[in-house]
Amino acid sequence: MRIVFMGTPEFAVPSLQQLHGSRRHTIQLVVTQPNRPSGRGKKLVPPPVKVAAEAAGLPVRQPERLSAPEMRQEIESLAPEAVCVVAFGQKIPRWLLRLPRHGCINVHPSLLPRWRGASPVAATLLAGDIETGVTTMLLDEGWDTGPILLRATTPVTPADNAGELEGRLARVGARLLLETLDAMEQGTLVPTPQPREGVTYAPKVTTEDGRLDFTRPAEELVRRIRAFTPDPGAFTFYDGSRLRIWKAHTTSAAAAPGDQPAAEPGQIVSTRPELAVQTGEGQLVIDVLQPAGKKPMAAADYLRGHPLPVGSRFTSSPEGGPD
């Protein structure tokens, strides 16, 4: 089939490469987001899909809006048989939904209708789901509401963070997209409307979502750390300085020995052999952290250069406010 491919982040790159390498379909054009400023210097950086497309020798366009007349004219002149949309980042307009005879096919990293929305991988981890997957669907004018084409499942392991799980789902999605296109071309695929039961939504993740509240249970905090690693990152504060937490686990150890008063949420209860912090329910053991301006490091390595007294506290703000 003749295909226009639309995608932007790293998640979309395996799908682009899978289609280009299949030799069964022709990518006529790759459409991605404009270069955006990044890093301390705010230098303009191309999206991963642009880098991959140019490496493959594919033509690339980066419109601010798909509604731009010249963009519509170019896509219409190509007369694609299908448009593949993988984490593109813009709403697909009605004219484009109706243009290809096979429709606009989307790769979504969840088992729809569970976790419609912008951040399904983070939502999967926050909820403690033990299974997730990828759905290919036909886009309609709603948000992730179109009929399902194919689905593939994968387990969620206790070690998965968002980056690792998203990478696995990207590879699953690339294979599923190719399988979907082949089946559509052969006429063997029947779209299935999404069920009304089991609909959940995954809102867009913000930096603020990564703030750790130690009054919450330790298990919940571990899920939050996993859900926001590597981006936007889970964080806390110690003595006014921000610390990013990359990895942690729970422990069932007692909060305080003997007749000492129980530790309060956020208090450090142990630094040997592990950095343990009291939460609203159980203790959180911090395995990997990152001070501001430094690289991630094992908590034990950090403690050798920055001793943290037992009884001192992590806080939810640099001013040391309560969690």
Side-chain angles (χ1 to χ4, degrees):
M1 287 194 285
R2 300 186 308 276
I3 293 169
V4 169
F5 184 91
M6 296 183 171
T8 300
E10 192 66 39
F11 177 81
V13 171
S15 289
L16 175 66
Q17 293 173 334
Q18 185 92 20
L19 290 183
H20 181 61
S22 72
R23 302 187 181 276
R24 296 200 294 276
H25 308 287
T26 300
I27 298 177
Q28 301 169 290
L29 181 67
V30 175
V31 183
T32 187
Q33 297 275 38
N35 297 357
R36 303 295 187 196
S38 180
R40 293 182 179 180
K42 297 301 180 182
K43 181 180 178 181
L44 288 177
V45 176
V49 162
K50 179 182 180 180
V51 175
E54 290 183 338
L58 297 169
V60 180
R61 301 290 182 271
Q62 296 177 272
E64 285 287 351
R65 291 288 180 268
L66 287 173
S67 57
E70 62 274 13
M71 192 73 257
R72 177 172 180 173
Q73 183 178 4
E74 180 173 8
I75 294 176
E76 286 180 338
S77 69
L78 293 172
E81 295 170 276
V83 173
C84 296
V85 183
V86 187
F88 176 52
Q90 290 187 32
K91 182 77 170 176
I92 306 302
R94 181 182 299 179
W95 67 265
L96 185 52
L97 292 173
R98 297 177 175 179
L99 177 65
R101 68 184 182 94
H102 287 294
C104 293
I105 302 157
N106 179 238
V107 176
H108 186 81
S110 80
L111 298 175
L112 291 171
R114 186 165 177 80
W115 303 131
R116 294 175 179 172
S119 305
V121 175
T124 294
L125 293 169
L126 282 173
D129 292 354
I130 61 173
E131 183 181 65
T132 186
V134 177
T135 304
T136 53
M137 66 174 173
L138 286 176
L139 288 177
D140 59 16
E141 294 188 52
W143 288 103
D144 302 327
T145 56
I148 291 170
L149 298 170
L150 292 176
R151 300 203 306 176
T153 62
T154 186
V156 180
T157 75
D160 281 331
N161 63 31
E164 293 158 348
L165 181 56
E166 185 173 284
R168 188 160 74 250
L169 292 173
R171 295 187 293 273
V172 172
R175 295 190 294 270
L176 193 67
L177 176 59
L178 186 59
E179 184 181 344
T180 300
L181 289 171
D182 291 345
M184 292 185 80
E185 187 179 34
Q186 295 161 11
T188 60
L189 192 56
V190 179
T192 304
Q194 292 189 34
R196 295 182 180 180
E197 300 78 22
V199 175
T200 57
Y201 294 92
K204 185 177 180 179
V205 168
T206 68
T207 300
E208 184 61 25
D209 290 324
R211 188 184 299 268
L212 297 178
D213 176 1
F214 283 97
T215 66
R216 305 303 301 168
E219 287 282 0
E220 179 182 315
L221 293 176
V222 169
R223 293 198 302 269
R224 182 164 292 269
I225 292 165
R226 293 167 59 207
F228 301 135
T229 299
D231 295 310
F235 63 93
T236 185
F237 294 89
Y238 183 84
D239 196 23
S241 296
R242 180 170 170 143
L243 288 173
R244 181 171 172 176
I245 310 301
W246 282 80
K247 187 176 181 181
H249 67 275
T250 62
T251 177
S252 57
D259 58 357
Q260 296 182 13
E264 296 180 356
Q267 273 193 311
I268 297 171
V269 296
S270 174
T271 58
R272 294 181 182 179
E274 298 176 311
L275 175 56
V277 185
Q278 183 63 35
T279 73
E281 185 178 320
Q283 293 179 7
L284 182 77
V285 177
I286 298 174
D287 301 306
V288 180
L289 54 74
Q290 181 181 10
K294 304 291 184 179
K295 294 181 178 180
M297 64 183 74
D301 294 335
Y302 176 79
L303 289 171
R304 278 194 281 270
H306 305 81
L308 303 179
V310 171
S312 59
R313 290 188 65 190
F314 290 111
T315 59
S316 59
S317 70
E319 294 78 22
D323 291 296

